[in-house]
């Protein structure tokens, strides 16, 4: 994986991609604002969502043990996986034990994170993605580029071509004379996948929430592919990050209001499934829950960075991010793109390579992501904190062990920049001013930094300045005051 | 590792993950209990004061906004309405839960396919429609919730057929909000929340109805109690 600036430099020159992305993110953004505005108590729900997740994280061991007890009591089996390799091994063994050679999958970022499909393929097991967008990605031999709409970078013509050229290799071919009308494309996917749903004996899913108090798992979706996978097969295996736990049944009242509106801008998504263990004669006879760490406990150990584990994967931060809009999801080099990816990936994986080291810089620190986040994750705060780690090194936890990392190589110049950044961030007025100034003078910005910055830009493109700073855009389009972020009010 | 001898691999991982969590939370005071960390629940239980009639109107409006087809009738009108709706689609094989009141489909000229554990997904796929009751409906979101009760049957029957007719009792099954709904639902039952027909926006964000679940959802709001039919 190339580091972010290099990958972004390539993708920002792809005009088609930029147009697709721009259309998509702006559409969702506008719809979302309307859906959120319907609830007078949005800010209070948001604060409650953040507080519930904080409570969970501060006592995660307690809640996980309760969750395990309650899932087991309800007839499920709980497995623990410290890392990706272990999770893949557990799932592979479970599928093997059924004697099946194929599985259907509900869209799940966590199985992307651990590379489950490839691990299953190595064991001779074929995994079929059943979410329409994931199907497009899988057939196109591609990678997801958005949390909610993984094929957001594809337009209808490309999707038609992918279906026409590739469906036959995976099962039922695309209908003759397939057009690029969305309804026809959806119908082709319906026919292609229905075959698989009706015959599959094993399904693999993630989950949006796990309720410790009751052992209930929750999957939120739109198409019904989730319901198919969760109820038709005989065996269901759910791989879920340990941070998806919420303490009580009542807590769902907060998240089931925050998530749909924040994510798809709907009052409620078409389908939500909740199940607790197994139920006689209704749904799978065997249910396995694989609880995944894979860097989450390392993230938990970082007092500033831990808030990233509150994330409910709504994707709102992607849709407001000017950097994501220009760079596209692939530039982030992981299933978690956009602002959340910029703080989650380097924490889950550690600052192990130029990619992870560059991700905390994949942001203009404009703060739009924080404003949008339904669980109030202060993404800019974590970005700055991680930049400091990259540049200055310091204490981190890697695979459960505290270590001191050295400053990243070739970051001497950045260290100097960081000192400036630190000062600017302590002086929000200067930041505001600087951003405006930068935006107004952008035509004169060089492609390479002069002086001590040169070593940095030798290997990286200097990020392009947006035509207008976010604050200016906000002030112009919303007409409200610009300095409404709590951090600024405090200063 | 704290895992003692004789423990399986899986237990070692359990102890490893829990141990890492405990070390990661070194900053959390030992005496802190979960409830010591405040969660302020000052958000609203419902987003407006509504009369029962207003709640039903909002439910109908929100269901329709998500392209469910909404009908209103009374107990006497339910069988003829169901008969008409099924006939207008030319439905011949109709799946019914074991506990659906017998009289509901008295007026329908269709073959009834009773829900049974032995019913295969392929047999379900060959059915035209399914008729169910529900556990409750949520006005603010336009949602019906099924909890596999006797008049709803297994989760799969409201999923595989392409046409779902769902009956809601106005008097005692309509709540205003998500918090009110959760209060009344039993987590140990499998729950399916349905807000409009199956839909996708994955292709250039154009909404398309009916990908894998039913392409048509019709909700029938009944004034009065149709259970004794
Ligand atoms: S960080 Fe916040 S806004 Fe971004 S995906 Fe997660 S919950 Fe949504």
């Amino acid at each position: 994986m190339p580091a972010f600036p290099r990958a972004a430099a390539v993708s920002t020159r792809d005009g088609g991609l930029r147009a697709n992305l721009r259309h998509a993110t702006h559409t969702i953004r506008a719809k979302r604002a309307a859906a959120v505005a319907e609830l007078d108590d949005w800010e209070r729900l948001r604060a409650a969502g953040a507080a519930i997740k904080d409570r969970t994280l501060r006592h995660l061991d307690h809640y996980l043990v309760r969750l395990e007890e309650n899932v087991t009591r309800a007839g499920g089996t709980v497995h623990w996986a410290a890392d990706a390799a272990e999770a893949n091994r557990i799932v592979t063994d479970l599928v093997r034990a059924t004697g099946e050679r194929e599985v259907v999958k509900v869209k799940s970022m966590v199985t992307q994170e651990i590379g489950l499909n490839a691990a299953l393929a190595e064991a001779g097991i074929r995994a079929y993605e059943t979410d329409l967008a994931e199907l497009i990605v899988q057939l196109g031999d591609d990678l997801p580029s958005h949390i909610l709409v993984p094929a957001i970078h594809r337009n209808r013509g490309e999707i038609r071509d992918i279906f026409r050229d590739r469906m036959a290799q995976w099962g039922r071919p695309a209908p003759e004379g397939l057009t690029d009308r969305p309804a026809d494309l959806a119908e082709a996917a319906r026919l292609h996948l229905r075959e698989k749903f009706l015959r599959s004996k094993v399904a693999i899913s993630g989950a949006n929430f796990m309720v410790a108090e009751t052992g209930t798992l929750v999957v939120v979706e739109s198409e019904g592919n989730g319901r198919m996978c969760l109820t038709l097969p005989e065996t269901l295996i759910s791989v879920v990050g340990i941070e998806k736990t919420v303490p009580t049944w009542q807590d769902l009242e907060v998240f089931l209001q925050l998530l749909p509106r924040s994510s798809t801008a709907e009052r409620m998504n078409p389908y939500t499934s909740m199940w607790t263990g197994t139920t006689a004669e209704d749904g799978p006879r065997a249910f396995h829950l694989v609880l995944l760490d894979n860097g989450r406990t390392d993230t938990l150990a970082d007092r500033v960075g831990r808030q990233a584990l509150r994330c409910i994967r709504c994707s709102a931060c992607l849709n407001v991010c000017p950097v994501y809009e220009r760079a596209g999801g692939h530039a982030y080099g992981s299933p978690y793109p956009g602002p959340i990816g910029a703080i989650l990936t380097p924490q889950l994986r550690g600052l192990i390579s130029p990619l992870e080291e560059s991700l905390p810089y994949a942001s203009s620190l404009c703060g739009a992501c924080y404003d949008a986040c339904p669980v109030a994750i202060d993404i800019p705060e974590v970005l700055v904190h991680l930049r400091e780690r990259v540049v200055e090194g310091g204490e981190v936890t890697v695979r459960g062990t505290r270590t001191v990392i050295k400053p990243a190589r070739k970051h001497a110049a950045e260290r100097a920049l960081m000192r400036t950044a630190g000062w600017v961030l302590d002086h929000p007025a200067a930041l505001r001013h600087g951003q405006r100034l930068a935006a107004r003078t952008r035509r004169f910005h060089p492609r390479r930094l002069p002086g001590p910055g040169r070593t940095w830009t030798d290997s990286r493109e200097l990020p392009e300045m947006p035509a207008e700073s976010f604050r200016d855009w906000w002030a112009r389009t919303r007409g409200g005051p610009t300095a409404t972020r709590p951090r600024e009010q405090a200063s | 590792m704290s895992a003692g001898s004789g423990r399986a691999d899986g237990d070692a991982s359990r102890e490893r993950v829990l141990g890492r969590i405990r070390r990661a939370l070194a900053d959390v005071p030992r005496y802190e209990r979960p409830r010591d960390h405040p969660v302020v629940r000052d958000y609203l239980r419902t987003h407006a004061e509504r009369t029962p009639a207003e709640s039903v109107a909002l439910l109908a409006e929100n269901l329709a906004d998500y392209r469910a087809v909404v009908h209103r009738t009374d107990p006497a009108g339910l069988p003829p309405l169901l008969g008409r709706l099924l006939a207008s689609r030319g439905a011949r094989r109709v799946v019914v839960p074991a506990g659906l009141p017998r009289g509901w489909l008295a007026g329908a000229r269709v073959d009834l396919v009773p829900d049974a554990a032995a019913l295969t997904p392929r047999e379900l796929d060959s059915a035209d429609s399914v008729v169910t009751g529900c556990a409750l409906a949520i006005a603010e979101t336009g949602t019906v919730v099924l909890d596999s009760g006797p008049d709803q049957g297994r989760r799969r029957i409201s999923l595989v057929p392409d046409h779902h007719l769902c009956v809601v009792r106005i008097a005692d099954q309509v709540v205003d909000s998500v918090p009110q709904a959760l209060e009344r639902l039993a987590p140990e039952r499998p729950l399916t929340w349905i807000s409009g027909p199956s839909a996708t926006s994955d292709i250039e964000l154009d909404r398309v109805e009916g990908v894998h679940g039913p392409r048509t959802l019709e909700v029938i709001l009944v004034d009065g109690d149709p259970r004794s039919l």
Side-chain angles (χ1 to χ4, degrees), chain A residues 23-24 28 39 41 44-45 48 51-52 54-55 57-59 61 63-64 68 80 82 86 130-133 149 155-156 182 185-187 190 193-194 197-198 214 216 222-223 225 227-228 231-232 249 251-254 257 266-276 279 281-283 293 297 301 303 306 399-400, chain B residues 9 13-14 16-18 20-25 27-29 32-35 37-45 47 62 65-66 117 121-122 125 140-141 143 148 154-156 158-160 162 178-179 182 185 187 190-195 197-200 202-208 210-215:
Chain A
H23 165 68
I28 308 180
L39 300 188
D41 58 340
R44 282 175 272 170
L45 281 166
I52 292 167
D54 278 350
R55 171 184 284 186
L57 292 171
R58 289 173 78 86
H59 298 277
D61 50 339
Y63 288 119
L64 285 171
E68 179 186 42
W80 298 70
E86 190 171 14
T130 65
D131 171 78
L132 178 51
V149 205
N155 61 36
R156 60 185 75 190
L185 296 171
E187 175 70 12
R190 178 183 175 97
L193 287 171
R194 193 155 269 232
F197 291 133
L198 297 184
T214 60
T216 308
S222 297
E223 295 172 8
N225 66 308
R227 291 180 66 196
M228 291 273 180
T231 55
L232 293 185
W249 178 251
D251 293 330
L252 292 177
E253 72 191 16
V254 175
Q257 295 190 77
E266 294 169 299
R267 295 187 190 99
M268 187 60 80
N269 48 288
Y271 296 130
T272 299
S273 296
M274 302 183 185
W275 73 99
T276 305
T279 306
E281 302 200 328
D282 184 358
D293 177 349
T297 50
R303 288 173 208 188
R306 127 177 352 153
R399 302 284 166 242
Chain B
D9 250 19
S13 294
R14 179 183 191 275
R16 185 176 308 141
V17 174
L18 288 172
R20 284 179 184 176
I21 293 172
R22 285 170 191 140
R23 284 197 300 281
L25 294 172
D27 60 308
V28 176
E32 182 181 301
R33 293 289 161 262
R35 32 180 83 254
H37 196 81
V39 174
V40 178
R41 295 185 195 268
D42 59 356
Y43 49 85
L44 304 171
R45 303 303 297 167
H47 288 87
N62 284 339
D65 195 29
Y66 273 48
R122 284 195 191 281
D125 193 32
E140 286 186 358
T141 58
T143 305
S148 301
R154 290 168 185 78
R155 284 171 277 179
R156 53 172 60 182
S158 59
L159 170 65
V160 182
D162 202 22
V178 170
L182 282 160
L185 292 167
L191 299 173
T192 306
W193 297 42
I194 301 173
S195 311
S198 152
T200 185
D202 282 347
I203 305 161
E204 295 183 20
L205 299 171
D206 272 352
R207 190 172 164 103
V208 178
V211 198
H212 306 301
R215 276 179 279 207

Side-chain angles (χ1 to χ4, degrees), chain A residues 53-96:
Chain A
K53 283 282 184 172
D54 278 350
R55 171 184 284 186
T56 318
L57 292 171
R58 289 173 78 86
H59 298 277
L60 192 56
D61 50 339
H62 166 81
Y63 288 119
L64 285 171
V65 169
R66 292 213 60 192
L67 175 75
E68 179 186 42
E69 267 167 35
N70 288 316
V71 170
T72 309
R73 199 199 325 263
T77 308
V78 177
H79 311 260
W80 298 70
D83 55 28
E86 190 171 14
N88 287 331
R89 202 188 63 230
I90 294 169
V91 176
T92 307
D93 288 349
L94 288 170
V95 178
R96 275 211 182 111

